[in-house]
């Protein structure tokens, strides 16, 4: 039985139900019925967005996890927007930029990151002047009908990846600009998030007051505050938000580490004391967050030695390995049956759908680096992206939950009124439509890694090292004859061959890539 058959049944039932009423009452019933069905059918036409979006993201992830970055970039670019125009879809623009970076197409990758930044800026501006229409539609349908709202960590990673792309291209000046922007985003994150939460809370309170006023006097008026309190306890007892140990103040240790490393290398080249201070502040902060990472402690010791007058002394060549390991978490849907308390003693049961974070595996525990002689070491974690993402997800969850409950209240109220005024068959149609529109928004930037690891060592005399692990195919890396080198390695999952790029410092040119 399809939707149109059910609508026909309910129309017949409604005709049977209203024959006993006067013409004036019949007109009121007609109006209420058409308004309610119109609202719900419109919502039904928009339903399925979240499931469709989740399927599209899964299609991209299949290419990306297999390290088929060219196919992943083509897939994402097709969905980001028309090829002859600037992309309009922020999420797919981010996915495309990441895949292009994986494919070592750094210039096109940065072009997409530039588009993404422009879309983020536009999204911020629109948020300030949004008249509530989009939010009202999202409450009626689900959050997937709204444009993708970037997380704070999205913006930080955009600028960090742009800087790394520029270093691979030998563009030291613009890399510096992007790292300063990433640092500024992190510095302003707490204030920006507090403003966003306050704005969202104000929107929800206005929506809650409007719904309460609209339903005042209805036969099945919902006690919104009581319902929210009970639902929140029920949901939070099943969603393990505390498993995501938070980083303080939205700090992404990898972005801060890259900042500290860049300004350390810049200071050794220019002798600029300001660069050295920036490097010291950044590395000191990271060292306090990952006290067991010996490589970061060695970097901090180096910069402290340079700050004590060691800039004039020649330094031994050093190689850093930066490793993108695995893939970050994805959002999955979880449904809850919840009670909505009426002003009377009755209780209506309905359902809401909420996102939950589901971790994905690392490609390997760590990389092993060897030169065939004495050099034997492993990479160590400097930033857990599961924690970075979980920190923001946890702080945002109360808002997501409240929106879902308000949407359920609105849909349940409309369903109840249709049933009351038009009969049980019409109520069945309304219930089916409510079910179809109850979906969780599962969109997120899925190309981010699970974690970042680092290692550092003196350049071996052989000029080559082998990088691998029991889970990954080994790669032979030729090191440049340069004062400093960075080997950037990426592996999305076990059983693949890691991609890598070697950058010399000063970054005069891209040395090699695979």
């Amino acid at each position: 039985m399809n939707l149109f058959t059910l609508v026909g049944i309910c129309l017949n039932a409604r005709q049977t139900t209203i024959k006993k009423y006067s013409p004036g009452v019949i007109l009121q019933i007609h109006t209420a019925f058409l308004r309610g069905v119109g609202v719900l059918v419109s919502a039904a036409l928009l339903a399925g967005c979240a499931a469709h979006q989740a399927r599209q993201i899964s299609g991209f992830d299949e290419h990306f996890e297999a390290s088929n970055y060219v196919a992943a970039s083509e897939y994402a670019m097709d969905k980001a927007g028309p090829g002859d125009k600037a992309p309009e879809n922020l999420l797919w623009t981010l996915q495309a930029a990441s895949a292009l970076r994986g494919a070592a197409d750094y210039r096109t990758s940065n072009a997409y990151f530039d588009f993404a930044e422009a879309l983020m800026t536009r999204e911020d501006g629109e948020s300030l002047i949004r008249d509530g229409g989009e939010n009202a539609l999202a409450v009626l349908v689900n959050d997937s009908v709204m444009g993708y709202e970037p997380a704070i960590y999205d913006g930080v990673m955009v600028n960090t990846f742009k800087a790394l792309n520029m270093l691979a291209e030998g563009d030291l000046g613009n890399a510096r600009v992007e790292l300063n922007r990433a640092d500024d985003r992190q510095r302003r994150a707490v204030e920006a998030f507090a403003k966003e939460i306050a704005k969202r809370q104000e929107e929800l309170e206005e929506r809650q007051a409007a719904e309460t006023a609209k339903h005042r006097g209805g036969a099945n008026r919902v006690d919104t505050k009581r319902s929210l309190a009970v639902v929140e306890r029920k949901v939070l007892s099943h969603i393990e938000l505390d498993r995501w140990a938070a980083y303080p103040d939205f700090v992404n240790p990898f972005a801060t580490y890259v900042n500290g490393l860049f300004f350390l290398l810049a200071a050794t080249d220019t002798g600029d004391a300001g660069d050295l201070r920036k490097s010291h502040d950044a590395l000191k902060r990271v060292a306090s967050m990952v006290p067991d990472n010996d490589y970061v402690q060695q970097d901090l010791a180096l910069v402290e030695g340079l700050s004590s007058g060691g800039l004039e002394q020649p330094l031994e060549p050093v190689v850093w390995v930066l490793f993108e390991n695995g893939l970050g978490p994805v959002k999955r849907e979880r449904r809850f049956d919840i009670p909505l308390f009426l002003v009377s003693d009755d209780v209506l049961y309905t359902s809401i759908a909420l996102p939950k974070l589901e971790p994905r595996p690392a490609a390997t525990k760590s990389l092993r680096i060897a030169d065939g002689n004495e050099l034997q070491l492993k990479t160590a974690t400097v930033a857990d992206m599961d924690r970075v993402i979980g920190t923001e997800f946890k702080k945002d969850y109360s808002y997501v939950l409240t929106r879902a409950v308000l949407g359920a209240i609105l849909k349940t109220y409309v369903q109840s009124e249709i049933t009351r005024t038009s009969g049980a068959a019409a109520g069945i149609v309304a219930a089916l439509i409510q079910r179809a529109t109850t979906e969780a928004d599962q969109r997120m930037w899925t190309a981010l890694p699970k974690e970042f690891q680092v290692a550092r060592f003196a350049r071996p005399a052989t000029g080559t090292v082998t990088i691998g692990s029991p889970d990954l195919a080994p790669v032979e890396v030729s090191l440049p004859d340069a004062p400093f080198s960075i080997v950037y390695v990426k592996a999305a999952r076990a059983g693949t061959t890691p991609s890598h790029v070697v950058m010399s410092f000063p970054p005069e040119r891209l040395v090699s890539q695979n």
Side-chain angles (χ1 to χ4, degrees):
M1 185 179 296
N2 60 34
L3 177 63
F4 297 102
T5 304
L6 283 170
V7 170
I9 290 174
C10 81
L11 284 170
N12 290 331
R14 183 169 60 93
Q15 293 296 335
T16 303
T17 303
I18 65 177
K19 280 179 180 176
K20 59 185 178 182
Y21 296 114
S22 67
V25 173
I26 291 173
L27 178 61
Q28 292 179 7
I29 293 175
H30 268 297
T31 303
F33 173 79
L34 292 174
R35 185 181 299 158
V37 170
V39 167
L40 288 176
V41 168
S42 298
L45 293 175
L46 290 167
C49 290
H52 178 64
Q53 291 164 352
R55 286 193 295 273
Q56 288 186 326
I57 292 172
S58 294
F60 170 83
D61 289 346
E62 287 181 12
H63 293 304
F64 201 87
E65 289 172 7
S67 303
N68 192 346
Y69 301 120
V70 173
S73 64
E74 291 172 349
Y75 186 98
M77 290 164 70
D78 179 63
K79 290 170 174 52
D84 58 342
K85 297 179 181 177
E88 289 290 331
N89 186 303
L90 172 58
L91 177 60
W92 285 109
T93 302
L94 290 170
Q95 302 277 52
S98 288
L100 288 161
R101 174 172 158 71
D105 187 351
Y106 300 114
R107 291 187 180 179
T108 312
S109 172
N110 267 3
Y112 271 78
F113 278 133
D114 285 341
F115 287 135
E117 272 202 288
L119 291 170
M120 287 178 178
T121 302
R122 193 175 76 180
E123 173 67 22
D124 288 343
E126 287 180 349
S127 293
L128 294 174
I129 61 174
R130 188 171 289 153
D131 61 8
E134 191 180 53
N135 283 314
L137 182 62
V139 170
L140 177 62
V141 185
N142 54 60
D143 285 354
S144 67
V145 300
M146 295 197 301
Y148 175 71
E149 292 193 27
I152 290 173
Y153 62 79
D154 285 348
V156 172
M157 288 310 303
V158 163
N159 293 118
T160 303
F161 280 144
K162 283 174 71 176
L164 290 167
N165 284 350
M166 289 163 176
L167 285 177
E169 291 283 322
D171 186 353
L172 184 63
N174 282 317
R176 174 187 291 265
V177 172
E178 294 301 332
L179 289 172
N180 283 333
R181 286 176 177 169
D183 186 52
D184 187 56
R185 282 186 190 273
Q186 293 202 95
R187 188 172 47 78
R188 293 185 290 107
V190 173
E191 180 184 359
F193 194 80
K195 285 183 178 178
E196 183 65 23
I197 289 296
K199 178 172 71 68
R200 290 174 172 182
Q201 187 61 37
E202 184 179 349
E203 290 174 356
L204 287 178
E205 288 174 357
E206 289 176 358
R207 169 59 54 185
Q208 187 173 328
E211 294 304 325
T212 300
K214 186 188 301 180
H215 302 158
R216 183 170 293 126
N220 290 323
R221 182 157 58 93
V222 177
D223 187 336
T224 305
K225 288 186 177 179
R226 185 183 177 195
S227 298
L228 274 171
V230 172
V231 170
E232 187 172 56
R233 287 198 298 272
K234 176 181 174 70
V235 170
L236 293 183
S237 67
H238 290 85
I239 297 289
E240 299 172 320
L241 291 178
D242 289 337
R243 68 179 293 183
W244 306 99
Y247 281 125
D249 299 339
F250 303 98
V251 172
N252 179 333
F254 179 70
T256 305
Y257 179 76
V258 173
N259 184 292
L261 178 59
F262 173 85
F263 284 105
L264 165 62
L265 298 180
T268 61
D269 185 46
T270 64
D272 190 308
D275 286 349
L276 207 54
R277 281 195 298 273
K278 283 185 177 180
S279 174
H280 179 265
D281 292 346
L283 292 174
K284 185 177 181 180
R285 189 170 198 185
V286 178
S288 68
M289 297 174 74
V290 286
D292 296 332
N293 189 315
D294 290 339
Y295 305 118
V296 176
Q297 302 298 332
Q298 292 172 36
D299 287 333
L300 180 60
L302 173 60
V303 77
E304 287 178 342
L306 295 175
S307 300
S308 302
L311 264 177
E312 304 301 324
Q313 302 298 320
L315 298 173
E316 294 296 324
V318 178
V319 179
W320 283 266
V321 173
L322 309 184
F323 176 38
E324 269 190 48
N325 187 11
L327 290 170
V330 292
K331 288 180 180 175
R332 300 296 187 213
E333 180 179 283
R334 178 162 184 177
R335 286 178 177 263
F336 293 89
D337 291 326
I338 61 169
L340 296 182
F341 294 91
L342 306 184
V343 174
S344 65
D345 292 334
D346 295 332
V347 178
L348 288 177
Y349 276 88
T350 186
S351 65
I352 58 175
L354 295 167
K356 65 170 185 174
L357 284 182
E358 187 172 284
R360 289 185 286 180
T364 188
K365 186 175 181 180
S366 61
L367 292 178
R368 296 176 180 176
I369 304 166
D371 70 343
N373 296 312
E374 295 183 353
L375 180 64
Q376 295 277 347
L377 50 82
K378 297 179 182 178
T379 51
T381 301
V382 70
D384 182 340
M385 287 302 292
D386 284 358
R387 288 182 62 184
V388 171
I389 294 168
T391 297
E392 200 163 332
F393 182 80
K394 185 176 179 179
K395 290 181 180 292
D396 207 32
Y397 207 78
S398 177
Y399 168 75
V400 174
L401 173 59
T402 303
R403 287 177 61 84
V405 173
L406 286 178
I409 289 174
L410 173 60
K411 294 172 190 175
T412 304
Y413 177 82
V414 172
Q415 175 194 336
S416 174
E417 287 298 294
I418 288 177
T419 303
R420 184 176 66 83
T421 59
S422 303
I428 292 173
V429 175
L432 290 173
I433 295 174
Q434 180 174 351
R435 171 76 182 179
T437 57
T438 301
E439 294 181 303
D441 184 4
Q442 299 170 56
R443 292 172 296 173
M444 65 184 302
W445 188 4
T446 59
L448 294 175
K450 183 177 184 66
E451 63 173 356
F452 290 97
Q453 298 186 355
V454 299
R456 73 191 301 280
F457 51 91
R459 183 183 183 278
T462 59
T464 61
V465 292
T466 301
I467 296 178
S469 84
D471 307 302
L472 301 169
V475 293
E476 193 86 7
V477 179
S478 297
L479 301 170
D481 186 13
F484 307 107
S485 307
I486 297 174
V487 182
Y488 196 99
V489 185
K490 177 179 178 60
R493 75 177 182 197
T496 59
T497 301
S499 62
H500 75 278
V501 57
V502 182
M503 298 168 276
S504 65
F505 204 94
E508 296 175 353
R509 60 187 175 84
L510 178 63
V511 176
S512 67
Q513 62 189 32
N514 186 18

